[in-house]
Amino acid sequence: MIKELLVILIASSLVNNVVLSQFLGLCPFLGVSKKTETATGMGVAVIFVITLASAVAGAIYQFILIPFHIAYLQTIVFILVIAALVQFVEMFLKKFIPGLYQSLGVYLPLITTNCAVLGVALTNVQKNYGILTGVVNGFATAAGFTISIVILAGIREKLTYNDIPESFKGMPIVLVTAGLMAIAFCGFSGLL
């Protein structure tokens, strides 16, 4: 059991990185990765939301949707769970960490529509993960998102001091950097 969870942890965070290999969650990945502090804050928020959403969605799926034969409602139910969790995170940050709340701006409510969050919940169902396995998969996926967004933010901070050709300034160099990161993360496929 522990070996299976470790494999899921490594696979979901590095080998099948949600942003760099599955291309889910690109909106906050590209939009919030200008500064490492903001990227770290978004990563922590995503870790909280995805991990908790995996647990709640898994429990609802196993104990409500399956027994009542309404599993076809899974997508709607998962979206509602995710929206409620994001609202909770937004209220918490607004009250206790207003600086981070302001710096995340519009991208915090966008976690609700972040396809990575819904993608993890649906992947847990498709792979028949139990609640514990789904939570580990959710945490690992969110950790992989955080790793990639913080790395990109660090690179973007360094890029501001470099002489970049005019045609590559702004989003083009960010996309090239993200592509190179995706190629680099392909190297982790040899781990499993």
Side-chain angles (χ1 to χ4, degrees):
M1 179 71 174
I2 292 179
K3 182 179 178 183
E4 178 188 353
L5 294 177
L6 187 61
V7 167
I8 289 173
L9 192 69
I10 292 170
S12 295
S13 61
L14 298 175
V15 177
N16 299 322
N17 187 285
V18 69
V19 176
L20 300 174
S21 71
Q22 297 176 7
F23 307 111
L24 297 174
L26 289 176
C27 291
F29 177 69
L30 297 173
V32 185
S33 60
K34 292 178 182 163
K35 295 186 177 199
T36 53
E37 298 87 26
T38 311
T40 304
M42 175 59 93
V44 169
V46 167
I47 286 174
F48 177 78
V49 169
I50 289 182
T51 305
L52 204 55
S54 296
V56 174
I60 289 173
Y61 184 77
Q62 268 189 332
F63 299 119
I64 297 174
L65 298 180
I66 295 289
F68 290 105
H69 306 290
I70 53 173
Y72 58 88
L73 293 175
Q74 68 188 10
T75 304
I76 295 169
V77 171
F78 293 167
I79 289 172
L80 292 173
V81 167
I82 292 164
L85 290 173
V86 170
Q87 286 292 37
F88 174 74
V89 169
E90 191 172 359
M91 289 185 305
F92 178 82
L93 290 179
K94 189 174 187 178
K95 181 152 179 89
F96 295 108
I97 313 174
L100 180 58
Y101 175 78
Q102 292 295 327
S103 65
L104 290 175
V106 71
Y107 293 101
L108 184 59
L110 280 179
I111 294 176
T112 303
T113 59
N114 186 343
C115 52
V117 183
L118 181 60
V120 170
L122 294 174
T123 299
N124 290 343
V125 169
Q126 288 173 346
K127 293 188 176 183
N128 293 322
Y129 287 160
I131 295 173
L132 175 64
T133 313
V135 168
V136 169
N137 181 49
F139 174 79
T141 301
F145 175 86
T146 303
I147 290 167
S148 58
I149 196 172
V150 169
I151 290 172
L152 181 63
I155 293 171
R156 284 181 77 173
E157 286 179 351
K158 300 292 183 199
L159 285 174
T160 58
Y161 302 111
N162 290 326
D163 187 28
I164 298 170
E166 192 64 35
S167 60
F168 278 99
K169 286 187 178 176
M171 195 51 68
I173 194 66
V174 173
L175 292 173
V176 168
T177 303
L180 292 172
M181 286 175 59
I183 292 170
F185 267 67
C186 285
F188 289 119
S189 63
L191 288 174
L192 300 176

